[in-house]
Amino acid sequence: MADKSTIERLKDQACEMRKNMLKLCHVGATHIGGDLSAADILTVLFHYAMKYDPKNPKWEGRDRFILSKGHAAGALYTSLAMAGYFELDYLFNNYRKLDSPFGEHPSDKVPGVEIPTGSLGHGLSISTGIALAARLNKKNHRVFALLGDGESQEGMVWEAAMAARHYKLGNLVAFIDRNGLSLDGETEKLMRLEPLADKWKAFGWNVMVIDGHSIEQIVNAIDNLPPVDSDTPTVIIAKTVKGKGVSCMENDVNWHAGSIDAALLEKCCAELDEARKRERGE
Amino acid sequence: MAQETFQLFKLIEKISAREVYGKKLAEIGSVDDRIVVLTADLMRSNKTIDFMKAHPERFFNTGIAEQNMMGIAAGLALEGKIPFVSTMATFATMRACEQVRTDICYPKLKVRIVATHGGLTTGAGPTHYGQEDMAIMRSLPNMTVIAPGDPNQIGKVIEASINWEGPMYIRIGRGGEPVVYKEDYAYQIGKSITVKEGKDITLIATGAIVFHALAAAEKLAKDGIQARVIDMHTIKPIDREAIIKAAKETGAIVTGEDHNIIGGLGTAVAEVLAEERISCKFKRLGIPDVFGVYGEPDDLYHKYGYDSEGIYSSAKSLLS
Ligand SMILES: Cc1ncc(C[n+]2csc(CCOP(=O)(O)OP(=O)(O)O)c2C)c(N)n1
């Protein structure tokens, strides 16, 4: 279990990351709602769980990360920048420009991005292939994938779920960003997903259900993953809030995607700082 | 129908084809209860939400599941419904390609796929570019393929589609396309529209590029070149006569489309010319067989040479 100072550091980083996502959203439109809901998960992945070398993005021993919900590119770019793959300013100065490596969906022109994503449903199959290759190569890194809950309506997700268990890929970990919303509205009203945990259990996966905004719970889930060489892939259903941390965006599909002006940016960042201060008891 | 073009740059009115589509669909849904509408978590984007509000019992939002949606549409059509199915061009034609081909085109079902975000209009990268959609759809037997020449034309296409047999693929952009037609006109599936007469060269365009072709024609006119401009809204079945006539009367053809250079409008025109044994000056403009980079659509059209400037300079060099 991580010590208290690690947890505090991660919380600071999550706050910083949200502010960076918002800055990017001021540069140009991002999928800010789904970026914010994934911020705590990505913070723990990039600053606690995964091993990687930003100076050598293709290092063989790295843990792989696949952003299956590719529209949350802003979350991935800010994670990679804060992990040291490139400067934040490089991102801010180039986002959405003509010929830029940084567009609304990630491409592998960005150091640290394994494969372009953005068409929903593909990521778990790709992750299954990467995990299978690790088995063939007798390597002990893990493969982490992040999926949207709306994305889980795609049939391909369930084909991959079947395959990963069949091939006994205990080196595969999927996070579901269970914020309850997709683009049009509530997943349960559009096309019901529940009972989601039972579905994954029925597919033979090791299932954890956590609060996706509790750094402690995310860290705890990582600490309790089955060994890499186990037979069972793990899915972590992380209950989250779309737009988390910015009150005017929370739980509102109108903030699925969009951009913000300077005044709103300032207001959002102040709200995040204020909340973090309160949390620290300052 | 001839069109006064010199007013183009004075007042460029932009309308969203998606808005026009949403309204028209809700409207015809009231007079024809065979119409059902399906979308895959994009009703707020493609404006089928208008139909959902007007006719909730005939509206199905399948969640993010395009293949399932196409299959359901096939089943509905088999039982006499007229499904309008909408998602982004890339997902409609590639994710759900086999369902479209085998379940809809093969049994020749009356399904209307209205795909948004055709070409590079999202600017959001290859995952969201519909840059091969027309080539794929054109190669499917029984399929009719249409890209309306301006944002209002989608309304006419939807009306005409009710009495058209077999499956249709209708592709529009992201929104904010310039208006080409300032007055009313007759629309017929499969019959191109000559929006500007000319004798020196013919610019054949489809979708949002019709506007750019007109703008190019206006620039060419300043150089004393009379360019004919054809709105080839129907890519399949293509208006062979208009192509033959253009080649014979003007001797030079430039095609323009927001689509890969392979398999779309340019290819379709070339096929007609070759089979008719017509030799003329000929140039295809479109995405030069690459995955489009990120950027705003207008910048991308410019980069790849099929905006008004690109069409203008290609026409000039073709004639020189
Ligand atoms: C195959 C496919 N269909 C549709 C889309 C358009 N789209 C982008 S994001 C989105 C909603 C995603 O919802 P969810 O997976 O729950 O993500 P989150 O709410 O976390 O942003 C949709 C429908 C897409 N990118 N890919």
Short mmCIF file of all heavy atoms in Angstrom, two decimals, chain B residues 56-105:
data_model
loop_
_atom_site.label_atom_id
_atom_site.label_comp_id
_atom_site.label_asym_id
_atom_site.label_seq_id
_atom_site.Cartn_x
_atom_site.Cartn_y
_atom_site.Cartn_z
N PRO B 56 -41.29 9.85 -31.33
CA PRO B 56 -40.43 9.02 -30.46
C PRO B 56 -40.63 7.53 -30.65
O PRO B 56 -39.69 6.75 -30.52
CB PRO B 56 -40.84 9.45 -29.04
CG PRO B 56 -42.12 10.21 -29.18
CD PRO B 56 -42.15 10.76 -30.57
N GLU B 57 -41.85 7.11 -31.04
CA GLU B 57 -42.11 5.67 -31.14
C GLU B 57 -41.46 5.06 -32.38
O GLU B 57 -41.31 3.84 -32.48
CB GLU B 57 -43.63 5.40 -31.12
CG GLU B 57 -44.41 5.83 -32.36
CD GLU B 57 -44.54 7.35 -32.57
OE1 GLU B 57 -44.20 8.12 -31.64
OE2 GLU B 57 -44.96 7.76 -33.66
N ARG B 58 -41.03 5.90 -33.32
CA ARG B 58 -40.38 5.38 -34.53
C ARG B 58 -38.89 5.74 -34.56
O ARG B 58 -38.27 5.74 -35.61
CB ARG B 58 -41.08 5.93 -35.77
CG ARG B 58 -42.39 5.20 -36.08
CD ARG B 58 -42.99 5.69 -37.37
NE ARG B 58 -43.83 6.86 -37.18
CZ ARG B 58 -43.86 7.91 -38.00
NH1 ARG B 58 -43.08 7.94 -39.06
NH2 ARG B 58 -44.66 8.92 -37.76
N PHE B 59 -38.35 6.03 -33.39
CA PHE B 59 -36.94 6.43 -33.31
C PHE B 59 -36.17 5.45 -32.43
O PHE B 59 -36.62 5.10 -31.34
CB PHE B 59 -36.84 7.84 -32.72
CG PHE B 59 -35.43 8.31 -32.54
CD1 PHE B 59 -34.71 8.79 -33.62
CD2 PHE B 59 -34.81 8.25 -31.30
CE1 PHE B 59 -33.40 9.21 -33.47
CE2 PHE B 59 -33.50 8.67 -31.14
CZ PHE B 59 -32.80 9.15 -32.22
N PHE B 60 -35.02 5.00 -32.92
CA PHE B 60 -34.22 4.02 -32.17
C PHE B 60 -32.76 4.47 -32.07
O PHE B 60 -32.06 4.53 -33.07
CB PHE B 60 -34.31 2.63 -32.82
CG PHE B 60 -35.74 2.19 -32.97
CD1 PHE B 60 -36.42 2.39 -34.18
CD2 PHE B 60 -36.44 1.64 -31.90
CE1 PHE B 60 -37.75 2.02 -34.33
CE2 PHE B 60 -37.78 1.28 -32.04
CZ PHE B 60 -38.43 1.46 -33.24
N ASN B 61 -32.36 4.80 -30.85
CA ASN B 61 -30.95 5.15 -30.61
C ASN B 61 -30.31 3.89 -30.05
O ASN B 61 -30.56 3.51 -28.91
CB ASN B 61 -30.85 6.31 -29.61
CG ASN B 61 -29.45 6.90 -29.55
OD1 ASN B 61 -28.46 6.20 -29.77
ND2 ASN B 61 -29.37 8.18 -29.27
N THR B 62 -29.48 3.25 -30.86
CA THR B 62 -28.98 1.91 -30.49
C THR B 62 -27.80 1.95 -29.54
O THR B 62 -27.22 0.91 -29.24
CB THR B 62 -28.54 1.14 -31.75
OG1 THR B 62 -27.46 1.88 -32.35
CG2 THR B 62 -29.67 0.99 -32.74
N GLY B 63 -27.42 3.14 -29.06
CA GLY B 63 -26.15 3.21 -28.33
C GLY B 63 -25.02 3.10 -29.34
O GLY B 63 -25.27 3.10 -30.56
N ILE B 64 -23.79 3.01 -28.84
CA ILE B 64 -22.64 3.01 -29.77
C ILE B 64 -22.46 1.61 -30.32
O ILE B 64 -21.70 0.80 -29.80
CB ILE B 64 -21.38 3.52 -29.06
CG1 ILE B 64 -21.68 4.83 -28.32
CG2 ILE B 64 -20.25 3.73 -30.07
CD1 ILE B 64 -20.58 5.29 -27.40
N ALA B 65 -23.22 1.29 -31.36
CA ALA B 65 -23.26 -0.07 -31.90
C ALA B 65 -23.73 -0.01 -33.35
O ALA B 65 -24.88 -0.30 -33.67
CB ALA B 65 -24.18 -0.94 -31.05
N GLU B 66 -22.82 0.40 -34.25
CA GLU B 66 -23.20 0.67 -35.64
C GLU B 66 -23.57 -0.58 -36.41
O GLU B 66 -24.47 -0.55 -37.26
CB GLU B 66 -22.05 1.40 -36.35
CG GLU B 66 -21.76 2.80 -35.80
CD GLU B 66 -20.93 2.80 -34.52
OE1 GLU B 66 -20.42 1.73 -34.14
OE2 GLU B 66 -20.78 3.86 -33.89
N GLN B 67 -22.88 -1.67 -36.15
CA GLN B 67 -23.18 -2.90 -36.89
C GLN B 67 -24.57 -3.41 -36.54
O GLN B 67 -25.35 -3.78 -37.41
CB GLN B 67 -22.12 -3.97 -36.57
CG GLN B 67 -20.74 -3.59 -37.05
CD GLN B 67 -19.68 -4.50 -36.45
OE1 GLN B 67 -19.50 -4.60 -35.25
NE2 GLN B 67 -18.97 -5.19 -37.31
N ASN B 68 -24.85 -3.41 -35.25
CA ASN B 68 -26.17 -3.82 -34.78
C ASN B 68 -27.24 -2.92 -35.40
O ASN B 68 -28.28 -3.38 -35.87
CB ASN B 68 -26.19 -3.72 -33.25
CG ASN B 68 -27.45 -4.29 -32.65
OD1 ASN B 68 -27.97 -5.29 -33.12
ND2 ASN B 68 -27.95 -3.65 -31.60
N MET B 69 -26.95 -1.61 -35.44
CA MET B 69 -27.91 -0.65 -35.99
C MET B 69 -28.23 -0.97 -37.45
O MET B 69 -29.41 -0.94 -37.86
CB MET B 69 -27.33 0.76 -35.87
CG MET B 69 -28.15 1.82 -36.58
SD MET B 69 -27.58 3.48 -36.22
CE MET B 69 -26.00 3.53 -37.04
N MET B 70 -27.20 -1.29 -38.25
CA MET B 70 -27.44 -1.59 -39.68
C MET B 70 -28.27 -2.87 -39.82
O MET B 70 -29.15 -2.96 -40.68
CB MET B 70 -26.13 -1.79 -40.43
CG MET B 70 -25.45 -0.60 -41.00
SD MET B 70 -26.39 0.75 -41.66
CE MET B 70 -25.11 2.01 -41.53
N GLY B 71 -27.96 -3.85 -38.98
CA GLY B 71 -28.72 -5.09 -39.03
C GLY B 71 -30.18 -4.86 -38.68
O GLY B 71 -31.09 -5.38 -39.34
N ILE B 72 -30.41 -4.06 -37.65
CA ILE B 72 -31.79 -3.74 -37.25
C ILE B 72 -32.51 -3.01 -38.40
O ILE B 72 -33.66 -3.30 -38.71
CB ILE B 72 -31.80 -2.90 -35.95
CG1 ILE B 72 -31.28 -3.75 -34.77
CG2 ILE B 72 -33.21 -2.38 -35.65
CD1 ILE B 72 -31.11 -2.96 -33.46
N ALA B 73 -31.80 -2.09 -39.03
CA ALA B 73 -32.39 -1.36 -40.16
C ALA B 73 -32.80 -2.32 -41.27
O ALA B 73 -33.87 -2.18 -41.88
CB ALA B 73 -31.41 -0.32 -40.68
N ALA B 74 -31.95 -3.31 -41.53
CA ALA B 74 -32.27 -4.30 -42.57
C ALA B 74 -33.57 -5.02 -42.20
O ALA B 74 -34.47 -5.17 -43.05
CB ALA B 74 -31.13 -5.30 -42.72
N GLY B 75 -33.69 -5.44 -40.97
CA GLY B 75 -34.89 -6.14 -40.53
C GLY B 75 -36.13 -5.28 -40.65
O GLY B 75 -37.19 -5.73 -41.10
N LEU B 76 -36.00 -4.03 -40.27
CA LEU B 76 -37.14 -3.10 -40.36
C LEU B 76 -37.56 -2.91 -41.83
O LEU B 76 -38.75 -2.90 -42.15
CB LEU B 76 -36.76 -1.75 -39.73
CG LEU B 76 -36.70 -1.73 -38.19
CD1 LEU B 76 -35.90 -0.53 -37.70
CD2 LEU B 76 -38.11 -1.69 -37.59
N ALA B 77 -36.56 -2.76 -42.71
CA ALA B 77 -36.86 -2.54 -44.12
C ALA B 77 -37.52 -3.76 -44.75
O ALA B 77 -38.40 -3.64 -45.60
CB ALA B 77 -35.58 -2.17 -44.88
N LEU B 78 -37.08 -4.92 -44.31
CA LEU B 78 -37.63 -6.17 -44.82
C LEU B 78 -39.14 -6.24 -44.54
O LEU B 78 -39.90 -6.84 -45.31
CB LEU B 78 -36.92 -7.33 -44.11
CG LEU B 78 -36.87 -8.70 -44.75
CD1 LEU B 78 -36.32 -8.63 -46.17
CD2 LEU B 78 -35.99 -9.63 -43.90
N GLU B 79 -39.56 -5.58 -43.47
CA GLU B 79 -40.97 -5.60 -43.09
C GLU B 79 -41.71 -4.35 -43.59
O GLU B 79 -42.79 -4.02 -43.09
CB GLU B 79 -41.09 -5.71 -41.57
CG GLU B 79 -40.54 -7.02 -41.01
CD GLU B 79 -41.30 -8.26 -41.50
OE1 GLU B 79 -42.53 -8.16 -41.67
OE2 GLU B 79 -40.65 -9.30 -41.74
N GLY B 80 -41.11 -3.63 -44.53
CA GLY B 80 -41.83 -2.53 -45.17
C GLY B 80 -41.59 -1.14 -44.61
O GLY B 80 -42.17 -0.17 -45.08
N LYS B 81 -40.74 -1.05 -43.59
CA LYS B 81 -40.42 0.29 -43.07
C LYS B 81 -39.38 0.94 -43.98
O LYS B 81 -38.68 0.26 -44.74
CB LYS B 81 -39.86 0.19 -41.65
CG LYS B 81 -40.76 -0.53 -40.66
CD LYS B 81 -42.06 0.22 -40.43
CE LYS B 81 -42.97 -0.55 -39.50
NZ LYS B 81 -44.38 -0.07 -39.61
N ILE B 82 -39.26 2.26 -43.88
CA ILE B 82 -38.18 2.96 -44.60
C ILE B 82 -37.23 3.54 -43.56
O ILE B 82 -37.46 4.63 -43.03
CB ILE B 82 -38.73 4.09 -45.51
CG1 ILE B 82 -39.81 3.53 -46.45
CG2 ILE B 82 -37.59 4.73 -46.30
CD1 ILE B 82 -40.43 4.60 -47.36
N PRO B 83 -36.18 2.80 -43.24
CA PRO B 83 -35.25 3.28 -42.21
C PRO B 83 -34.29 4.34 -42.76
O PRO B 83 -33.71 4.17 -43.84
CB PRO B 83 -34.48 2.03 -41.79
CG PRO B 83 -35.21 0.87 -42.40
CD PRO B 83 -35.90 1.41 -43.61
N PHE B 84 -34.16 5.42 -42.01
CA PHE B 84 -33.09 6.40 -42.23
C PHE B 84 -32.08 6.15 -41.11
O PHE B 84 -32.42 6.25 -39.94
CB PHE B 84 -33.63 7.83 -42.17
CG PHE B 84 -34.29 8.25 -43.44
CD1 PHE B 84 -35.59 7.83 -43.74
CD2 PHE B 84 -33.61 9.05 -44.36
CE1 PHE B 84 -36.19 8.20 -44.93
CE2 PHE B 84 -34.22 9.43 -45.55
CZ PHE B 84 -35.51 9.01 -45.84
N VAL B 85 -30.86 5.81 -41.51
CA VAL B 85 -29.84 5.41 -40.55
C VAL B 85 -28.72 6.44 -40.58
O VAL B 85 -28.16 6.72 -41.64
CB VAL B 85 -29.27 4.03 -40.91
CG1 VAL B 85 -28.34 3.54 -39.81
CG2 VAL B 85 -30.38 3.03 -41.15
N SER B 86 -28.39 7.00 -39.42
CA SER B 86 -27.38 8.05 -39.44
C SER B 86 -26.28 7.84 -38.41
O SER B 86 -26.54 7.60 -37.24
CB SER B 86 -28.03 9.42 -39.18
OG SER B 86 -28.64 9.87 -40.35
N THR B 87 -25.06 7.95 -38.90
CA THR B 87 -23.89 8.03 -38.04
C THR B 87 -22.83 8.73 -38.88
O THR B 87 -23.11 9.21 -39.97
CB THR B 87 -23.45 6.63 -37.55
OG1 THR B 87 -22.31 6.77 -36.69
CG2 THR B 87 -23.08 5.70 -38.70
N MET B 88 -21.60 8.81 -38.36
CA MET B 88 -20.56 9.45 -39.16
C MET B 88 -20.17 8.54 -40.33
O MET B 88 -20.21 7.31 -40.22
CB MET B 88 -19.34 9.73 -38.29
CG MET B 88 -19.63 10.73 -37.19
SD MET B 88 -18.11 11.14 -36.30
CE MET B 88 -18.79 12.14 -34.97
N ALA B 89 -19.76 9.17 -41.43
CA ALA B 89 -19.45 8.44 -42.67
C ALA B 89 -18.47 7.29 -42.42
O ALA B 89 -18.65 6.18 -42.94
CB ALA B 89 -18.88 9.40 -43.71
N THR B 90 -17.47 7.55 -41.62
CA THR B 90 -16.44 6.52 -41.40
C THR B 90 -17.03 5.27 -40.74
O THR B 90 -16.72 4.15 -41.12
CB THR B 90 -15.26 7.11 -40.60
OG1 THR B 90 -14.33 6.07 -40.30
CG2 THR B 90 -15.69 7.73 -39.29
N PHE B 91 -17.92 5.48 -39.76
CA PHE B 91 -18.47 4.31 -39.06
C PHE B 91 -19.56 3.63 -39.89
O PHE B 91 -19.70 2.41 -39.86
CB PHE B 91 -19.02 4.73 -37.69
CG PHE B 91 -18.05 5.57 -36.90
CD1 PHE B 91 -18.44 6.76 -36.32
CD2 PHE B 91 -16.73 5.16 -36.77
CE1 PHE B 91 -17.53 7.54 -35.62
CE2 PHE B 91 -15.82 5.94 -36.07
CZ PHE B 91 -16.22 7.14 -35.49
N ALA B 92 -20.34 4.42 -40.63
CA ALA B 92 -21.42 3.86 -41.45
C ALA B 92 -20.85 2.94 -42.53
O ALA B 92 -21.40 1.89 -42.82
CB ALA B 92 -22.25 4.96 -42.08
N THR B 93 -19.74 3.37 -43.13
CA THR B 93 -19.27 2.65 -44.32
C THR B 93 -18.17 1.65 -44.02
O THR B 93 -17.88 0.79 -44.85
CB THR B 93 -18.73 3.63 -45.38
OG1 THR B 93 -17.61 4.34 -44.82
CG2 THR B 93 -19.79 4.61 -45.79
N MET B 94 -17.54 1.79 -42.86
CA MET B 94 -16.44 0.84 -42.60
C MET B 94 -16.75 -0.08 -41.43
O MET B 94 -16.65 -1.29 -41.56
CB MET B 94 -15.15 1.61 -42.43
CG MET B 94 -14.72 2.20 -43.76
SD MET B 94 -13.14 3.03 -43.76
CE MET B 94 -13.64 4.62 -43.16
N ARG B 95 -17.13 0.47 -40.28
CA ARG B 95 -17.47 -0.41 -39.16
C ARG B 95 -18.60 -1.36 -39.57
O ARG B 95 -18.58 -2.54 -39.30
CB ARG B 95 -17.90 0.42 -37.95
CG ARG B 95 -18.44 -0.40 -36.76
CD ARG B 95 -17.39 -1.30 -36.18
NE ARG B 95 -16.28 -0.53 -35.69
CZ ARG B 95 -16.18 -0.06 -34.44
NH1 ARG B 95 -17.07 -0.36 -33.56
NH2 ARG B 95 -15.14 0.67 -34.10
N ALA B 96 -19.60 -0.80 -40.23
CA ALA B 96 -20.80 -1.59 -40.52
C ALA B 96 -20.86 -2.00 -41.99
O ALA B 96 -21.91 -2.30 -42.53
CB ALA B 96 -22.04 -0.79 -40.15
N CYS B 97 -19.70 -2.04 -42.64
CA CYS B 97 -19.66 -2.26 -44.09
C CYS B 97 -20.34 -3.57 -44.52
O CYS B 97 -21.14 -3.59 -45.44
CB CYS B 97 -18.22 -2.23 -44.59
SG CYS B 97 -18.10 -2.38 -46.37
N GLU B 98 -20.02 -4.63 -43.84
CA GLU B 98 -20.57 -5.91 -44.31
C GLU B 98 -22.07 -5.98 -44.08
O GLU B 98 -22.81 -6.56 -44.89
CB GLU B 98 -19.86 -7.08 -43.62
CG GLU B 98 -20.08 -8.36 -44.43
CD GLU B 98 -19.98 -9.61 -43.58
OE1 GLU B 98 -19.60 -9.53 -42.41
OE2 GLU B 98 -20.32 -10.67 -44.11
N GLN B 99 -22.53 -5.38 -43.00
CA GLN B 99 -23.99 -5.36 -42.78
C GLN B 99 -24.67 -4.56 -43.90
O GLN B 99 -25.75 -4.92 -44.36
CB GLN B 99 -24.31 -4.75 -41.40
CG GLN B 99 -24.05 -5.68 -40.23
CD GLN B 99 -22.57 -5.77 -39.84
OE1 GLN B 99 -21.73 -5.06 -40.38
NE2 GLN B 99 -22.26 -6.63 -38.90
N VAL B 100 -24.01 -3.45 -44.30
CA VAL B 100 -24.58 -2.64 -45.38
C VAL B 100 -24.60 -3.46 -46.68
O VAL B 100 -25.61 -3.52 -47.38
CB VAL B 100 -23.77 -1.34 -45.59
CG1 VAL B 100 -24.24 -0.60 -46.83
CG2 VAL B 100 -23.89 -0.44 -44.36
N ARG B 101 -23.50 -4.12 -46.95
CA ARG B 101 -23.40 -4.86 -48.21
C ARG B 101 -24.34 -6.07 -48.24
O ARG B 101 -25.17 -6.21 -49.14
CB ARG B 101 -21.96 -5.33 -48.41
CG ARG B 101 -21.78 -6.29 -49.57
CD ARG B 101 -20.39 -6.91 -49.55
NE ARG B 101 -20.20 -7.88 -50.59
CZ ARG B 101 -20.49 -9.18 -50.47
NH1 ARG B 101 -21.01 -9.64 -49.36
NH2 ARG B 101 -20.26 -10.01 -51.47
N THR B 102 -24.19 -6.92 -47.21
CA THR B 102 -24.84 -8.23 -47.30
C THR B 102 -26.29 -8.21 -46.84
O THR B 102 -27.12 -8.89 -47.40
CB THR B 102 -24.00 -9.25 -46.51
OG1 THR B 102 -22.66 -9.22 -47.02
CG2 THR B 102 -24.56 -10.65 -46.63
N ASP B 103 -26.56 -7.38 -45.82
CA ASP B 103 -27.92 -7.38 -45.27
C ASP B 103 -28.82 -6.33 -45.92
O ASP B 103 -30.03 -6.42 -45.83
CB ASP B 103 -27.88 -7.13 -43.75
CG ASP B 103 -26.94 -8.10 -43.04
OD1 ASP B 103 -26.69 -9.18 -43.61
OD2 ASP B 103 -26.46 -7.79 -41.94
N ILE B 104 -28.22 -5.30 -46.52
CA ILE B 104 -29.03 -4.21 -47.07
C ILE B 104 -28.95 -4.17 -48.60
O ILE B 104 -29.97 -4.16 -49.29
CB ILE B 104 -28.61 -2.86 -46.45
CG1 ILE B 104 -28.98 -2.85 -44.95
CG2 ILE B 104 -29.26 -1.68 -47.19
CD1 ILE B 104 -28.45 -1.67 -44.17
N CYS B 105 -27.72 -4.18 -49.15
CA CYS B 105 -27.59 -4.07 -50.61
C CYS B 105 -27.97 -5.36 -51.34
O CYS B 105 -28.65 -5.33 -52.36
CB CYS B 105 -26.17 -3.66 -50.99
SG CYS B 105 -25.79 -1.96 -50.54
#
